[in-house]
Amino acid sequence: MQVEQQQVLRPVIRLLKRYKLVIAGDREFPSIELAQWLHCQHLSFVLRQKCSTTFREKRRPFQSLDSIPVQPGIHRFYPRVGFTQKKGFSRFNLVASWKRKYRGKQEDEPWYLLTNLPDLKSASGVYSKRYGIEAMFKDCKTGGYNLEGCQASPDKLIANHDFNRPSHDFGVVTRKKN
């Protein structure tokens, strides 16, 4: 799966090399290997993790993310957390965040975000942009564009894609480099 993710991201990275990119990935892309690859590409990322993912703070045993005591309205930031026992992997930051009830709506569960961004606010801010991305996916997939049913090749889709909008199941947030 990681190879496929890299194949999708490589042309995006090349096309947008003049911009500072932040890759936002949903739970379908929780891979620590992908996080490591993005980090080695000097890219920022925020990848939502499944609640069953295990992590470890320094010198503590591994535990699942759903063991973190978080309730609606609570947001926690854990710097330099280990996500794998394999050698050669960087430690990344972890955000555990559960939005409070707002206008009668409550999130079903917290966000567990693996990131190399430096703080809770920036990681949560980037990931919250996923809501707009999801609306765009619906438009592209079933809302009239029918991209999944058109049988277009990935090369053709990339060639004709507006990269100011997100691609695939990743969000790409861009800012001009200084």
Side-chain angles (χ1 to χ4, degrees):
M1 173 87 100
Q2 181 197 349
V3 173
E4 293 170 5
Q5 295 165 352
Q6 290 177 11
Q7 287 175 337
V8 169
L9 287 171
R10 275 193 183 101
V12 174
I13 293 166
R14 270 194 306 275
L15 286 169
L16 299 174
K17 63 185 172 193
R18 295 185 328 217
Y19 296 87
K20 181 179 179 186
L21 303 179
V22 182
I23 307 299
D26 212 348
R27 284 177 286 199
E28 290 82 24
F29 303 95
S31 163
I32 186 67
E33 290 86 1
L34 177 62
Q36 183 71 30
W37 181 79
L38 291 169
H39 185 69
C40 290
Q41 302 301 310
H42 306 289
L43 294 171
S44 298
F45 61 86
V46 180
L47 303 175
R48 188 167 178 186
Q49 302 298 293
K50 297 177 182 177
C51 63
S52 60
T53 301
T54 58
F55 77 104
R56 178 171 90 170
E57 293 180 87
K58 282 189 176 180
R59 298 181 186 87
R60 298 181 104 179
F62 275 89
Q63 60 186 0
S64 66
L65 291 172
D66 60 5
S67 70
I68 296 173
V70 62
Q71 303 164 4
I74 302 295
H75 313 282
R76 299 184 189 277
F77 184 79
Y78 299 87
R80 298 194 32 81
V81 170
F83 283 87
T84 182
Q85 296 181 51
K86 296 177 186 174
K87 299 282 187 211
F89 283 89
S90 298
R91 291 178 164 267
F92 297 112
N93 300 326
L94 169 64
V95 170
S97 178
W98 199 340
K99 291 192 174 194
R100 66 178 173 81
K101 190 173 191 176
Y102 183 70
R103 293 188 177 178
K105 294 185 179 186
Q106 177 63 61
E107 291 286 326
D108 295 333
E109 57 190 7
W111 292 346
Y112 300 107
L113 307 175
L114 169 67
T115 185
N116 60 354
L117 294 176
D119 56 61
L120 184 140
K121 185 177 178 182
S122 58
S124 296
V126 165
Y127 191 77
S128 68
K129 293 181 185 328
R130 291 274 313 149
Y131 289 106
I133 293 166
E134 293 297 332
M136 188 273 304
F137 285 162
K138 184 174 189 277
D139 290 345
C140 289
K141 291 179 179 181
T142 60
Y145 296 108
N146 192 26
L147 287 181
E148 288 184 335
C150 73
Q151 304 296 315
S153 73
D155 293 335
K156 196 178 253 186
L157 288 175
I158 288 170
N160 295 320
H161 190 71
D162 174 4
F163 281 100
N164 288 319
R165 299 196 66 185
S167 176
H168 203 258
D169 285 328
F170 292 98
V172 179
V173 179
T174 61
R175 292 189 293 254
K176 279 265 189 188
K177 285 186 180 175
N178 292 336

